[in-house]
Amino acid sequence: MELLHPIIQYISSGFTWFVNHAMNLYYDIEMCFSRNVSMDTLLTIYWFLFLVEFPRYYLLEIFLSIRYAVLKPFRRKLDNKARIVLYSENPLVSILVPGKNEGKHIYKLIMSLKEQTYTNYEIIVVDDGSDDTTPYICSNLEANGFIDRYVRINDRAGKAGAANLGAQFARGKYIVHLDADSSLDRDAIEKILLPFYVDNKVKAVGGCVKVRNSKQNICTSLQALEYLKTIMVGRIVTSEMGIYHIISGAFGAFERETLEKIGYWDIGPGLDGDITQKIRKAGYKVKFANEAVCMTNVPSSWYRLYVQRRRWSRSLVRFRIRKHKDILLPNRNFRVLNWLSNMESIFYDCICNYMWFYYLIGLLFTYTDRLLEILVMGWLIRLFFAFIAFGVIMLVTERPKEEFRMIKYLPLSTFYTGYFLRVTRLIGYTTEFFFFNSYRDKWNPRKTSIWAQAEVN
């Protein structure tokens, strides 16, 4: 009870602060725009924000994040018990690092692994047809004992093919898949293994990926803020609901026996979301480990970011709607949580983007004479909600002091997530629906894309 009292007080004072500031915002908006837009029409004008976005991306996340924070002492106890079992068993972990032309990143990754609190691991690096100095660098690292096994593929097979080859050499009970340009917190391997020992039905765990080059420019800073909102908070929420549906390829842990049963990674882009679906369909649980932190580099130019996110969007259509459509249909393997997991992603990430486009066109034609005022008012409302979302981030993050500096990017984040990402996703979804563009994406070798077309034939 002593613990609950300050938490209840904190929630109560936070709610009071929210109501007071909401009313102040209301009066400010009314004063500014009452001549052209009455408060009676706010719900009509901003129906998409209040009826679609707010319930999912604000209300639900606030409730489940507070619950997550309140239950932290309980999770600590479970983790401490799991840690005792983990270290008493001390299983070998195979760290798998597939990639092309990643030699410049490998040494930094290896150094972060050398500092891990969990030390019983082997490192397997798979060179997927690199044409730079990667073979020389990795061969030297292997010769000097920094890498346990270096495997080279002369004819590029794609990331999934490289991961599958590396998995054949893995001897560990668990396989940790890492991107070569990642680096880990000192206890990341330990913490990503704990959920396996908290619940033996868990067969795959996703780590929390954050942006390492966040200070490089505005583009990377906005991505860093987005990662905190969508990857950290968003995946805490879906994991708590039991509908967590994508283990990031940058940092994920899998039971090796389970990977063997489901046939490892299927070729093609979007392999991280695809393998998560395969594990869920096999009847196993997947979990998100918020405190297992991986730092990674993100695109530093808007064009590279656009290409990356367009590819991610195509993967949603290719795998969730096309390849794994059986999850959405009643069949003998039907599971409600799997259906909800896929539908949540399809509805909010895909369908709602088309709804948003319809909503935007409606605004353009219906409120032409006061469009600027409506857009400014919408930005103010979204900015207010963005501050609320940032408060949620501060509630659940393990490094609030370091990440609080991101608050200054909130005014720009509404344009980044509200327009740039939405337009990019729309292009990705539409081109994949009608033209199957993921099978011509240069990110994946042409030979494997041709083979993968059997999915839709």
Side-chain angles (χ1 to χ4, degrees), residues 95-127:
I95 298 175
L96 185 58
V97 188
K100 178 184 178 182
N101 294 343
E102 299 285 6
K104 57 185 177 292
H105 300 299
I106 290 293
Y107 183 76
K108 185 180 290 186
L109 172 61
I110 300 303
M111 288 302 99
S112 77
L113 293 175
K114 294 295 182 184
E115 297 175 353
Q116 288 299 302
T117 55
Y118 191 84
T119 57
N120 189 23
Y121 60 80
E122 62 176 358
I123 302 173
I124 303 170
V125 176
V126 183
D127 176 4

Side-chain angles (χ1 to χ4, degrees), residues 164-179:
N164 289 337
L165 177 62
Q168 304 309 307
F169 295 97
R171 298 179 294 115
K173 180 178 180 180
Y174 300 104
I175 292 178
V176 173
H177 184 287
L178 288 177
D179 278 352

Side-chain angles (χ1 to χ4, degrees), residues 132-417:
D132 62 355
T133 58
T134 296
Y136 174 79
I137 294 170
C138 290
S139 296
N140 274 276
L141 288 172
E142 183 183 32
N144 287 283
F146 289 94
I147 294 174
D148 293 278
R149 183 178 289 271
Y150 167 61
V151 183
R152 173 163 171 82
I153 303 174
N154 290 320
D155 188 11
R156 183 174 169 233
K159 194 169 184 179
N164 289 337
L165 177 62
Q168 304 309 307
F169 295 97
R171 298 179 294 115
K173 180 178 180 180
Y174 300 104
I175 292 178
V176 173
H177 184 287
L178 288 177
D179 278 352
D181 63 349
S182 302
S183 58
L184 304 180
D185 280 7
R186 292 185 66 253
D187 56 1
I189 296 294
E190 174 187 305
K191 287 186 173 178
I192 205 170
L193 294 174
L194 292 181
F196 292 109
Y197 291 89
V198 172
D199 183 350
N200 59 17
K201 293 181 180 178
V202 172
K203 301 301 180 184
V205 181
C208 185
V209 180
K210 298 188 177 186
V211 176
R212 183 168 55 203
N213 58 334
S214 62
K215 297 180 182 179
Q216 186 171 349
N217 54 37
I218 291 292
C219 181
T220 61
S221 296
L222 289 173
Q223 288 176 79
L225 185 57
E226 177 207 358
Y227 272 46
L228 293 175
K229 174 75 167 67
T230 60
I231 292 184
M232 185 180 70
V233 175
R235 293 180 184 179
I236 285 174
V237 169
T238 54
S239 185
E240 290 292 294
M241 294 174 65
I243 61 173
Y244 176 41
H245 49 68
I246 181 165
I247 294 174
S248 175
F251 185 32
F254 308 87
E255 185 186 65
R256 183 165 61 89
E257 184 179 341
T258 300
L259 285 181
E260 291 175 354
K261 288 180 181 178
I262 66 171
Y264 297 99
W265 288 269
D266 289 350
I267 56 177
L271 65 158
D272 42 5
D274 179 42
I275 199 166
T276 311
Q277 294 298 304
K278 290 173 67 176
I279 292 169
R280 292 188 67 101
K281 286 168 70 172
Y284 302 118
K285 290 183 180 180
V286 294
K287 278 290 185 180
F288 177 67
N290 178 46
E291 295 184 353
V293 177
C294 165
M295 306 300 293
T296 191
N297 289 329
V298 295
S300 57
S301 74
W302 291 105
Y303 178 72
R304 287 178 58 206
L305 176 60
Y306 164 75
V307 171
Q308 180 198 65
R309 298 311 176 88
R310 186 183 59 187
R311 184 178 73 245
W312 289 5
S313 300
R314 290 170 177 170
S315 297
L316 182 144
V317 175
R318 174 171 172 172
F319 290 109
R320 299 193 191 285
I321 298 176
R322 192 177 294 144
K323 180 179 178 181
H324 294 294
K325 60 181 179 292
D326 56 322
I327 289 179
L328 306 175
L329 305 172
N331 57 67
R332 63 179 183 175
N333 293 321
F334 180 81
R335 293 180 177 86
V336 173
L337 284 180
N338 285 352
W339 184 86
L340 286 173
S341 174
N342 249 24
M343 279 307 301
E344 188 269 344
S345 180
I346 292 169
F347 179 75
Y348 283 103
D349 292 338
C350 183
I351 295 174
C352 284
N353 263 270
Y354 288 102
M355 290 173 60
W356 169 80
F357 184 71
Y358 165 79
Y359 162 74
L360 197 63
I361 296 298
L363 284 183
L364 289 172
F365 285 97
T366 307
Y367 300 100
T368 306
D369 58 332
R370 36 190 165 158
L371 186 62
L372 179 60
E373 294 175 1
I374 290 173
L375 291 177
V376 171
M377 189 190 306
W379 174 76
L380 287 172
I381 296 172
R382 288 179 183 278
L383 180 60
F384 177 69
F385 287 159
F387 275 99
I388 296 173
F390 192 78
V392 173
I393 290 171
M394 291 296 100
L395 182 65
V396 299
T397 184
E398 85 293 343
R399 50 188 77 180
K401 290 183 180 179
E402 179 182 335
E403 290 166 350
F404 184 76
R405 68 175 187 83
M406 303 303 299
I407 194 170
K408 63 186 177 185
Y409 296 104
L410 290 180
L412 293 176
S413 68
T414 57
F415 297 103
Y416 168 66
T417 58

